């Protein structure tokens, strides 16, 4: 891996961070989870890690934030590891929706009434019900342990204020989950499934954690630094494909054209992305654009990808 490229990124970052941070004023911090509205609207940070463990970081890269929808990539992978493809794709589809991440429109319009994909809320709730474990506590603990393993950070934990704030106000997710239960998509008690879901959304990370998790995906499920094999290659392939087709919700097409990398965003303003075979990347910028992705974070990734010719397409 070229250390020269990382040096070049390090040299370019300060100007780009300053320039792209100005975009924050055109975005809005998510407030439908009340506690999220306390996030700093002007923040923008990035951390990039390579296979030798070298890193470049800049801006507000140490800002803690919650995984939110980024966690859906990893619950999908864990559900695949627990159940295999056949069981998982009996309960969720493989197609983008073109609708908002919290829409339940298509659940009633299309047969079979399973969520279109595992990265929209309905699909991720269905995936939460497929995590193995004899109790809700055990299921959540398995997800958290898996995230800690991938991030190489045993101290990852829930942000309990965000967890409670979401759990107390999640009327739409609740209605979606009861609808899924009625359709025979969810296993177990609806409130238990939702608890697993709210907990994995509320895991607190920094950009460095996201970069390390992404580095494993960028290397087909292996940690290139320790040599450990953490995820079967096939499941990484499935996860990365969903990241390209649906990871940035209904801005995924535009992101594929402008950045050209597999990515997953969250309403906290986080983006996990990677340059396959090379880098894991974590970005945070809580001000979101119209389609729910970090407005400055996406602009920063566009600049990086275009300058360094990272697009896969
Ligand atoms: O279920 C929710 O609404 C949140 N816990 C996660 C949504 C999210 O991050 C969508 N992302 N862009």
């Amino acid at each position: 891996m070229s250390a020269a490229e990382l040096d070049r990124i390090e040299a370019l970052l300060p100007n780009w961070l300053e320039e792209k941070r100005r975009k924050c004023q055109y975005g809005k911090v998510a407030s439908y989870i009340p506690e999220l509205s306390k996030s700093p609207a002007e923040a923008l940070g990035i951390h990039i890690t390579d296979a030798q463990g070298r890193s470049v970081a800049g801006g507000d890269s140490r800002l803690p934030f919650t995984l939110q929808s980024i966690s859906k990539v990893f619950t999908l992978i864990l559900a695949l590891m627990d159940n295999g493809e056949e069981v998982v794709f009996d309960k969720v589809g493989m197609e983008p929706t073109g609708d908002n991440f919290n829409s339940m429109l298509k659940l009633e319009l299309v047969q079979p009434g399973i969520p279109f994909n595992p990265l929209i809320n309905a699909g991720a709730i269905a995936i939460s019900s497929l995590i193995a474990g004899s109790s809700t506590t055990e299921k959540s603990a398995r997800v958290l342990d898996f995230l800690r393993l991938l991030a190489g950070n045993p101290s990852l934990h829930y942000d309990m204020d965000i967890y409670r704030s979401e759990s107390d106000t999640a009327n739409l997710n609740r209605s979606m989950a009861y609808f899924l239960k009625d359709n025979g998509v969810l296993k177990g008690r609806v409130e238990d499934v939702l608890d697993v879901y709210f907990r994995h959304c509320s895991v607190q990370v920094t950009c460095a954690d996201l970069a390390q998790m992404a580095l494993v995906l960028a290397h087909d499920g292996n940690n290139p630094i320790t040599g450990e094999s953490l995820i079967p290659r096939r499941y990484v392939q499935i996860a990365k494909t969903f990241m390209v087709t649906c990871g940035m919700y209904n801005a995924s097409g535009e992101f594929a054209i402008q950045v050209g990398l597999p990515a997953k965003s969250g309403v906290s303003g986080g983006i996990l992305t990677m340059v396959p075979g090379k880098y894991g990347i974590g970005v945070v910028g809580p001000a979101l654009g119209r389609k729910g992705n970090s407005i400055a974070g996406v602009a920063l990734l566009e600049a990086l990808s275009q300058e360094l010719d990272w697009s896969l397409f």
Side-chain angles (χ1 to χ4, degrees), residues 37-239:
S37 61
K38 297 180 182 164
S39 315
E42 297 299 312
L44 177 63
I46 185 167
H47 189 112
I48 304 176
T49 298
D50 79 1
Q52 282 71 40
R54 291 179 294 234
S55 290
V56 173
D60 303 294
S61 66
R62 289 172 195 269
L63 179 76
F65 57 98
T66 50
L67 278 176
Q68 298 302 334
S69 286
I70 298 169
S71 61
K72 296 170 181 175
V73 172
F74 301 102
T75 49
L76 167 66
I77 291 172
L78 192 56
L80 285 165
M81 289 165 74
D82 285 346
N83 303 276
E85 286 178 52
E86 208 173 313
V87 170
V88 168
F89 293 117
D90 185 48
K91 301 293 184 197
V92 294
M94 299 183 181
E95 307 302 337
T97 63
D99 301 324
N100 288 341
F101 64 85
N102 54 6
S103 173
M104 55 191 291
L105 189 70
K106 300 254 168 58
L107 285 179
E108 213 178 353
L109 283 181
V110 182
Q111 288 302 324
I114 61 171
F116 260 51
N117 68 64
L119 300 187
I120 53 171
N121 285 7
I125 292 168
I127 292 291
S128 295
S129 90
L130 291 171
I131 301 296
S134 58
S135 64
T136 310
T137 312
E138 190 187 333
K139 290 176 194 190
S140 286
R142 289 189 64 245
V143 176
L144 186 58
D145 283 345
F146 187 52
L147 296 168
R148 286 174 171 166
L149 178 73
L150 296 173
N153 181 355
S155 64
L156 287 191
H157 58 273
Y158 308 118
D159 179 328
M160 290 308 287
D161 292 333
I162 301 270
Y163 160 77
R164 275 190 286 267
S165 183
E166 174 159 25
S167 180
D168 289 350
T169 57
N171 300 316
L172 192 52
N173 279 338
R174 255 191 193 92
S175 59
M176 211 146 28
Y178 280 98
F179 192 87
L180 290 173
K181 179 73 184 177
D182 207 59
N183 277 5
V185 175
L186 292 194
K187 288 199 304 187
R189 282 187 61 231
V190 172
E191 288 301 327
D192 290 349
V193 174
L194 284 168
D195 196 64
V196 174
Y197 175 78
F198 298 143
R199 280 183 190 273
H200 68 69
C201 287
S202 74
V203 171
Q204 192 184 79
V205 291
T206 63
C207 290
D209 297 315
L210 289 193
Q212 186 56 40
M213 294 160 99
L215 189 69
V216 174
L217 301 184
H219 290 83
D220 293 334
N222 304 314
N223 179 331
I225 301 163
T226 63
E228 281 172 292
S229 174
L230 301 176
I231 306 169
R233 185 172 182 277
R234 169 71 180 156
Y235 298 153
V236 175
Q237 184 182 47
I238 292 173

